[in-house]
Amino acid sequence: MAASYRLTLEYEGTRYHGWQEQQNARSVAGELRRALREALGEGNPVKELGGSGRTDAGVHALAQTAHLRLARAIEAEELRREVNDRLPADIHVLDLAPAAAGFHARHSALARSYLYQVSRRRTALAKRWVWWVKRPLDAERIAAAAALLPGRHDFRLFCERPAEQPSTLVAVERAEVAAAGSLILCRLVASHFLWKMVRRVTGALVRAGAGELDLDAFAALLDADSGAARLAAPGRRPLRPAEWTAPPSGLFLERVLYPGDPPLPPLASTPPVVTVS
């Protein structure tokens, strides 16, 4: 019987075409598989490696979760050290521990938490981890718009290729906004997210914070039929969330939550240096 493990990883996604393994592009999962193969050798092949979900090109992770199945059991901490020695500096395995045979990084998860960092100032040190928005932003306006997000909504207007999704309905559990020095932090928690959903929601929140999108218009976007009607309404300014997609630089997969896991910590920036005003 295969031995199962749960891995927790952090990575700086700037150099990668996302988490998912790709034939002709460098990915985080591809680097992890290579490091595992080198550490384990031919005598203990990787039977299965899977993540909790994809992160797009350029998106970072504070705690991505993966499951690993090996032909035979191995000492977990020793393997973690061996793998980290073979990974590039911008990918790191934080934890590697034995898991139940049925543990699956995606199917066993209860929720995912994403953090987005918007900077209200130019930064030389943190530009890889923020979206610098030059126009003035009001954090309270962003928070008021974010307060409309919890609940079950149709996010078709915030999704890339919605016709390819089994459903565009998503139940958002939490939406938090906090100011931290020059930063505005946005956290979204849901059971799952659609492709580019977090970045487009963030783009819409920023427009609300800049006074370019009122709360009624933001609410209409959460009702796909109403939002689509608004898009087509004569004499009204078009609402096109795809054009507002926030860049990947400010987005972090913060945590993947499983039964028995501790709750999320208070909303805070990462790394701390970016909070400097």
Side-chain angles (χ1 to χ4, degrees):
M1 180 180 291
S4 295
Y5 299 87
R6 173 175 165 175
L7 292 78
T8 305
L9 304 94
E10 63 181 9
Y11 51 86
E12 209 266 44
T14 305
R15 298 194 306 139
Y16 301 97
H17 285 74
W19 161 265
Q20 193 77 5
E21 292 182 80
Q22 300 176 46
Q23 197 166 29
N24 299 311
R26 197 176 190 193
S27 71
V28 177
E31 290 294 321
L32 177 60
R33 184 180 293 275
R34 176 196 55 76
L36 284 164
R37 186 168 54 241
E38 293 176 3
L40 292 162
E42 296 181 1
N44 196 4
V46 174
K47 298 175 72 68
E48 184 179 338
L49 175 65
S52 66
R54 301 183 180 190
T55 52
D56 291 340
V59 173
H60 321 295
L62 300 177
Q64 167 73 284
T65 301
H67 66 263
L68 169 67
R69 312 218 196 281
L70 299 178
R72 59 181 175 81
I74 191 171
E75 203 284 314
E77 179 57 24
E78 179 183 348
L79 177 60
R80 188 186 75 87
R81 291 195 300 267
E82 292 288 338
V83 169
N84 278 334
D85 284 346
R86 292 163 171 81
L87 284 171
D90 47 10
I91 304 174
H92 181 73
V93 179
L94 295 163
D95 186 61
L96 194 158
F103 174 75
H104 192 285
R106 182 162 61 92
H107 300 316
S108 301
L110 299 175
R112 283 91 173 156
S113 172
Y114 277 91
L115 166 69
Y116 200 101
Q117 302 191 137
V118 178
S119 179
R120 291 179 283 186
R121 75 165 177 93
R122 184 174 181 268
T123 169
L125 299 177
K127 61 183 180 180
R128 285 185 169 190
W129 309 311
V130 300
W131 173 23
W132 174 36
V133 177
K134 298 180 182 181
R135 56 201 191 278
L137 296 177
D138 186 326
E140 292 185 2
R141 286 180 180 167
I142 293 176
L148 301 174
L149 290 167
R152 188 176 176 86
H153 304 286
D154 188 344
F155 284 91
R156 172 159 48 92
L157 297 177
F158 293 91
C159 175
E160 184 81 359
R161 300 178 189 169
E164 298 179 9
Q165 302 294 324
S167 171
T168 52
L169 294 173
V170 176
V172 175
E173 297 179 12
R174 292 164 61 183
E176 301 174 53
V177 175
S182 59
L183 292 177
I184 296 175
L185 310 175
C186 302
R187 171 191 275 166
L188 296 180
V189 183
S191 61
H192 72 287
F193 291 91
L194 306 172
W195 187 15
K196 297 189 180 179
M197 172 181 156
V198 178
R199 290 166 57 195
R200 289 181 179 173
V201 167
T202 302
L205 290 173
V206 164
R207 289 186 71 88
E212 299 163 358
L213 186 69
D214 61 40
L215 290 182
D216 288 342
F218 187 88
L221 293 172
L222 301 178
D223 178 346
D225 291 334
S226 173
R230 175 78 181 259
L231 291 175
R236 305 189 76 171
R237 185 172 61 179
L239 301 178
R240 298 191 176 97
E243 296 179 359
W244 311 335
T245 306
S249 55
L251 182 58
F252 294 77
L253 173 58
E254 183 184 25
R255 277 268 301 278
V256 186
L257 301 170
Y258 298 90
D261 281 0
L264 289 167
L267 186 54
S269 65
T270 183
V273 68
V274 299
T275 65
V276 177
S277 297

